Amino acid sequence: MSTAEALADSEDFIRLASSSSEEERENDEQAYDEDEEREPLPNGKRAAEAAKTATENKTRNNHEICYNGQALPPWLKGHNRLGKGKYPDISDMINEEMSLFVKYISPTPEEHQMRVWVINRLQRVLDNMHLLDADAQALCFGSFATRLYLPTSDIDMTVMLYKNNSSKKAVAPAYENKEAVRRFLYTLAKHLKNAGFCQSCEVIAHARVPIIKTHEMITGIAVDISINADSGVQSAGVQKSFSEKVYPDALRSIVLVIKQFLSQRSMNEVYTGGIGSYAITLLAVSLFQTHPRVLSGGLQLTKNLGILLIEFFELYGKRFNYDNVCISVLENGRYLDKRRKGFFNMGQSYLLSIEDPCDTSNDVSKGTYGILRIKQTFGGAYDLINNAIFAYHQTRKHGEPINDTLRSTAAVSFTSNGSGDQSRRKRIKAMDGNARKATGGSGMFNDNPNAHVSFLSSILSVSAGVVKSRERLVREFYKGTMQKVLGVQYQPSLTNLLPDNSKDADTASDAVKAATEASAVKEMSAQETIATMNFDFTKSGATSGAPTDKVITISDGE
């Protein structure tokens, strides 16, 4: 199968517009239609309009669009062209774009503090229930506890019902059976609504792990609440140790990009067959542990994030033997036989298998039944991002991509309307012709060395809905609604809710830090516990130990 056929076959899964909204794409199409229907102009006026359009395009090239006509993605706005020098190394450009994307998608101090306050508000509801037979504590685990969460991520929490006055933190006898847990879920849901925590709750009482799914009313943040399910706390400690102690910066960057990549394709929820945050983290850790150049010390992780991202897509999209191999991060990383491990499923041999470092009998990814689609998506992403690189390289060398497949790949923002491959090529050709007339021959590809370029926009996008949701959360922070509910003293001193430049952003961050200190809001005990967990994994399973900067070494006793 040719590259063009492979791309066309995978298009439904992997191609996304770099435009942040449908409205922007409609504007592009409307402009195209207007070009088709425009009446011929006299020679003098035609020349004047062409000159005016060329000037406008030149201005847009500097500020709003990339060299190939794509809209400048939001993570590049306000920044200079990637790389240093006239013709920078492309690997350095991808690495820089990875860093800028992670900085952009990472929650701001305001967003993080609002989530902390959501946790505190839930704890306050539990305290007001005045339970006589248990001590209820709200513990947070998952991506929020590990700081590996996206702005759109929900908050995973468990309510631990401990014995009163128990130093061993044992579950209260009255809540040890599932029926009692189910009854408490309905009681808690009623109290949440009565306290104004949420407008409605969905109680999923008969799932393997019964939960409440709801949205906190002030922030709109999704919250999943389970009861006495503390297994996630230890796995969160493993993730936090890997991301902060063993592979600082590098692991978090890769995980956030992969999570955003899967999230915008609705492949990040395990209950719908997707792959969860814990499994993504272990996949990335396994890549680092088994990478020959990393092992030899010839590849510095933080300076090769883009290359590692591409190799992640190549490994798990094209190379990995899903049928026979189980991934383990024990003993500095290794591959196991699925049959010997006991993870082989005769009817679904294609499933991904990852050994849980906290419980070696548990397959972390056994619920990811949509792995075939995820594998195809990873493989398609590898093709797209490589084609984007080659297209830019050819434009620098020849003035434009010399291959039709690369031209269609590079013009993602103009070709993501769901049309067939032949229609897309015809559309590109027509738009390229119009662009050549307007720009005096340069077409829709700009070989100006200073023109912006984005490689990640071939596989990533940030929707207008996400941007508006983040803006709303920041506004709520400075409005002080949550502070009033919790009785927190804070007087916002900024008039600009959403700073546009880095100086104002730093001022906002400083103000948030000051507000956090002034409020004296204490994070929940789960965060305190995880923050002190420095897993050395030198013994079987996960055990807390002294901080270490060395690579994790794990042995399961085999």
Side-chain angles (χ1 to χ4, degrees):
M1 180 182 293
S2 67
T3 303
E5 292 172 340
L7 285 171
D9 184 55
S10 302
E11 183 175 11
D12 290 341
F13 299 114
I14 60 181
R15 185 178 289 281
L16 284 177
S18 60
S19 171
S20 60
S21 68
E22 292 293 334
E23 181 181 351
E24 292 177 10
R25 290 195 290 276
E26 291 174 359
N27 290 340
D28 288 337
E29 294 174 2
Q30 182 179 359
Y32 169 68
D33 294 337
E34 289 175 355
D35 287 339
E36 291 291 314
E37 299 172 359
R38 186 173 297 169
E39 297 180 0
L41 297 173
N43 290 336
K45 290 186 178 180
R46 186 185 299 115
E49 182 169 306
K52 180 181 178 182
T53 304
T55 302
E56 291 175 351
N57 286 343
K58 183 177 180 181
T59 302
R60 292 185 65 206
N61 282 334
N62 290 334
H63 301 286
E64 299 177 10
I65 64 174
C66 298
Y67 84 100
N68 55 355
Q70 294 181 5
L72 189 67
W75 57 88
L76 293 184
K77 291 182 178 180
H79 297 280
N80 295 327
R81 189 218 56 192
L82 299 173
K84 298 180 180 179
K86 188 175 182 180
Y87 297 108
D89 186 87
I90 292 181
S91 63
D92 292 338
M93 298 175 73
I94 303 175
N95 194 71
E96 182 181 351
E97 186 174 10
M98 280 276 292
S99 299
L100 291 174
F101 178 82
V102 170
K103 183 178 180 181
Y104 173 81
I105 205 66
S106 296
T108 64
E110 296 96 329
E111 292 172 294
H112 183 75
Q113 186 59 47
M114 289 293 275
R115 287 171 178 263
V116 172
W117 283 334
V118 168
I119 298 170
N120 279 269
R121 192 178 182 197
L122 175 60
Q123 182 62 54
R124 186 163 296 184
V125 173
L126 294 172
D127 293 341
N128 291 334
M129 291 176 68
H130 302 295
L131 298 177
L132 300 177
D133 51 359
D135 177 21
Q137 294 186 19
L139 305 183
C140 184
F141 60 95
S143 58
F144 177 78
T146 61
R147 303 296 178 95
L148 294 174
Y149 67 97
L150 299 171
T152 56
S153 297
D154 56 10
I155 299 179
D156 297 312
M157 303 187 65
T158 185
V159 174
M160 296 302 300
L161 300 171
Y162 293 125
K163 287 182 179 179
N164 287 317
N165 303 319
S166 174
S167 59
K168 295 183 178 181
K169 298 296 183 182
V171 174
Y175 299 99
E176 288 181 340
N177 62 80
K178 286 189 175 181
E179 188 58 37
V181 167
R182 293 190 183 102
R183 288 197 301 269
F184 182 80
L185 277 176
Y186 286 105
T187 302
L188 177 58
K190 180 180 178 180
H191 278 269
L192 290 173
K193 288 187 286 186
N194 291 341
F197 182 90
C198 58
Q199 289 184 331
S200 61
C201 292
E202 179 185 4
V203 179
I204 307 177
H206 296 282
R208 185 174 63 88
V209 179
I211 62 171
I212 295 174
K213 296 183 74 69
T214 187
H215 289 77
E216 198 277 330
M217 187 176 296
I218 297 174
T219 63
I221 294 174
V223 182
D224 290 350
I225 307 171
S226 59
I227 308 298
N228 295 334
D230 60 348
S231 60
V233 175
Q234 193 173 38
S235 63
V238 173
Q239 290 179 268
K240 195 173 180 68
S241 182
F242 272 123
S243 63
E244 295 184 1
K245 299 293 183 182
V246 186
Y247 303 111
D249 299 326
L251 180 60
R252 183 173 185 273
S253 298
I254 295 292
V255 170
L256 285 180
V257 171
I258 298 299
K259 288 188 67 173
Q260 175 66 16
F261 174 81
L262 292 172
S263 175
Q264 64 193 46
R265 292 162 175 80
S266 300
M267 297 180 179
N268 62 322
E269 297 290 351
V270 177
Y271 69 87
T272 59
I275 185 167
S277 178
Y278 190 28
I280 294 172
T281 301
L282 296 179
L283 286 178
V285 168
S286 178
L287 171 65
F288 294 165
Q289 290 178 330
T290 58
H291 196 295
R293 291 186 62 194
V294 174
L295 293 175
S296 66
L299 187 69
Q300 189 172 346
L301 294 178
T302 55
K303 292 186 177 180
N304 293 276
L305 296 175
I307 301 301
L308 289 168
L309 176 67
I310 295 173
E311 292 183 345
F312 181 98
F313 287 134
E314 180 183 20
L315 174 62
Y316 297 114
K318 294 179 178 290
R319 309 293 182 190
F320 190 75
N321 185 350
Y322 288 86
D323 289 343
N324 300 303
V325 176
C326 168
I327 292 173
S328 172
V329 298
L330 301 174
E331 298 183 356
N332 290 329
R334 55 184 179 163
Y335 291 142
L336 305 175
D337 187 295
K338 287 175 69 172
R339 290 174 175 81
R340 292 183 180 179
K341 185 63 184 174
F343 289 170
F344 184 79
N345 186 328
M346 183 64 70
Q348 295 176 304
S349 61
Y350 57 84
L351 290 178
L352 172 66
S353 292
I354 306 175
E355 180 186 64
D356 188 346
C358 298
D359 178 6
T360 57
S361 64
N362 179 42
D363 183 354
V364 172
S365 54
K366 60 186 175 185
T368 306
Y369 58 82
I371 190 61
L372 290 179
R373 186 166 176 253
I374 294 173
K375 176 185 176 182
Q376 181 183 14
T377 306
F378 282 164
Y382 173 79
D383 292 335
L384 280 177
I385 198 167
N386 271 290
N387 283 350
I389 293 170
F390 291 140
Y392 178 68
H393 171 71
Q394 289 186 358
T395 300
R396 289 203 313 193
K397 188 174 182 179
H398 304 290
E400 63 181 3
I402 59 177
N403 179 285
D404 285 343
T405 300
L406 296 185
R407 292 178 68 83
S408 63
T409 302
V412 174
S413 61
F414 294 122
T415 62
S416 302
N417 59 351
S419 59
D421 191 63
Q422 184 177 359
S423 174
R424 182 170 65 252
R425 292 175 185 275
K426 183 177 180 181
R427 180 177 170 82
I428 292 174
K429 185 176 180 180
M431 295 190 69
D432 194 31
N434 292 337
R436 288 179 183 277
K437 294 177 183 179
T439 60
S442 62
M444 57 195 293
F445 294 93
N446 183 356
D447 60 353
N448 183 342
N450 295 319
H452 282 289
V453 57
S454 172
F455 304 106
L456 293 184
S457 60
S458 62
I459 60 170
L460 295 176
S461 69
V462 178
S463 69
V466 171
V467 175
K468 291 180 180 178
S469 176
R470 298 185 71 178
E471 291 175 351
R472 175 184 174 275
L473 198 61
V474 174
R475 289 192 181 95
E476 287 295 336
F477 178 91
Y478 287 107
K479 189 187 297 182
T481 307
M482 184 68 85
Q483 292 91 315
K484 292 178 182 178
V485 170
L486 293 173
V488 177
Q489 294 183 359
Y490 173 64
Q491 298 296 327
S493 58
L494 300 179
T495 56
N496 183 6
L497 302 182
L498 300 168
D500 293 326
N501 56 62
S502 58
K503 182 177 180 181
D504 287 340
D506 292 339
T507 303
S509 299
D510 293 340
V512 173
K513 292 177 182 178
T516 305
E517 295 174 358
S519 67
V521 176
K522 185 178 181 181
E523 290 195 26
M524 306 313 300
S525 58
Q527 278 67 47
E528 296 176 352
T529 301
I530 292 171
T532 58
M533 284 174 131
N534 297 294
F535 293 87
D536 55 21
F537 293 137
T538 55
K539 300 178 182 179
S540 175
T543 58
S544 59
T548 175
D549 293 330
K550 297 181 180 180
V551 175
I552 285 181
T553 57
I554 313 174
S555 173
D556 61 2
E558 293 182 357

